[in-house]
Amino acid sequence: MVRTQLIPRGIRDERVLDAMRKVPRHLFVDESMQYRAYDDMALSIGEGQTISQPYMVAIMTELLELKGNEKILEIGTGSGYQAAILAELAKEVYSVERIAPLASRAEEKLHAIGYQNVHVKIDDGTLGWVEEAPFDRIIITAGAPKVPDPLTEQLAEDGILLAPVGDRFSQQLVKMIKREGMISEEFHTLCVFVPLIGKHGWEGGEEH
Ligand code: SAM
């Protein structure tokens, strides 16, 4: 996966490549899907949701520019795989998932594998995690119509926020950097994520 998908597409951060080599991605998908776990694609994790394509996890992680000391907020725990990669590269990871069975499964797996620095909460992540703010890094792993205001407010000074922003079917990765209270934006790759549903996201999902 690292040799055939990530390095040829330009992932260069050795710490990110090492984390992608180390974290057992197959443990974050259903047993029946494990033979596809390292393929170049997103996979179903149930509840209509997905574990993101390895390249997308790698590029998002690289864009966060992690040094090892950061407190990170992730919105969209899903399988827990991205949280595990972040846990390898930063100090603490706070991850919010709105679908309870996914959150519980991910938390169980992360703890069983040995990640003590990941904290999972069931909630609408568009509200952030007020009690733990501010965060040095914030990563949204679902497609948003716009970056939720509570999240930019909970971003620390010199912090980086990364989000796929667009319509329900396609988005572009937006990287925001907060300096002296001002936000600047960079635009990166096009992408396709399941929708971010919540008060400051898309409407819907009353079934959960
Ligand atoms: N990061 C995940 C992983 O490594 O498996 C993949 C995330 S999946 C593409 C998007 C996730 O965002 C889904 O599990 C979905 O339920 C969740 N989600 C959508 N809206 C949310 C919200 N407002 N708050 C928290 N989670 C949300």
Side-chain angles (χ1 to χ4, degrees):
M1 177 182 86
V2 168
R3 193 170 34 82
T4 61
Q5 299 168 39
L6 307 186
I7 294 173
R9 289 199 191 123
I11 304 298
R12 289 284 173 268
D13 185 332
E14 276 303 327
R15 293 183 72 235
V16 173
L17 293 171
D18 281 347
M20 300 288 298
R21 282 187 193 101
K22 181 174 172 194
V23 176
R25 182 170 161 94
H26 62 280
L27 298 185
F28 292 88
V29 299
D30 194 77
E31 233 173 315
S32 64
M33 300 291 271
Q34 287 191 347
Y35 74 107
R36 311 204 77 166
Y38 298 89
D39 288 1
D40 187 13
M41 58 172 71
L43 294 172
S44 166
I45 53 170
E47 312 285 342
Q49 306 302 322
T50 53
I51 175 174
S52 305
Q53 178 197 26
Y55 171 68
M56 198 47 64
V57 174
I59 184 79
M60 289 181 88
T61 308
E62 188 169 74
L63 287 168
L64 288 175
E65 301 177 30
L66 298 171
K67 303 286 182 279
N69 233 353
E70 297 84 358
K71 182 175 185 181
I72 306 185
L73 175 65
E74 179 193 28
I75 309 304
T77 316
S79 68
Y81 177 67
Q82 173 79 72
I85 297 284
L86 297 173
E88 290 285 340
L89 297 169
K91 192 165 176 200
E92 298 290 338
V93 181
Y94 291 82
S95 187
V96 187
E97 171 57 57
R98 60 180 284 274
I99 301 179
L102 292 181
S104 313
R105 218 179 299 152
E107 190 174 33
E108 260 171 43
K109 264 182 206 167
L110 287 160
H111 289 169
I113 296 171
Y115 292 105
Q116 302 296 329
N117 58 340
V118 183
H119 316 276
V120 178
K121 174 166 97 151
I122 302 161
D123 204 350
D124 173 5
T126 69
L127 303 171
W129 194 324
V130 179
E131 302 78 14
E132 292 296 340
F135 297 95
D136 304 305
R137 301 288 186 267
I138 299 179
I139 175 171
I140 306 178
T141 63
K146 67 179 192 57
V147 174
D149 288 339
L151 299 185
T152 45
E153 285 157 17
Q154 290 173 35
L155 185 63
E157 189 54 30
D158 293 322
I160 296 177
L161 181 154
L162 205 60
V165 179
D167 61 30
R168 273 182 177 259
F169 308 104
S170 73
Q171 305 91 31
Q172 185 165 22
L173 269 189
V174 178
K175 176 173 174 175
M176 293 181 157
I177 303 164
K178 192 186 254 189
R179 286 212 184 93
E180 296 177 5
M182 304 286 286
I183 301 274
S184 64
E185 287 183 344
E186 287 173 10
F187 296 90
H188 292 271
T189 184
L190 296 175
C191 49
V192 178
F193 278 82
V194 294
L196 179 77
I197 292 173
K199 186 165 182 222
H200 300 272
W202 296 102
E203 280 183 16
E206 288 76 16
E207 71 278 12
H208 292 293

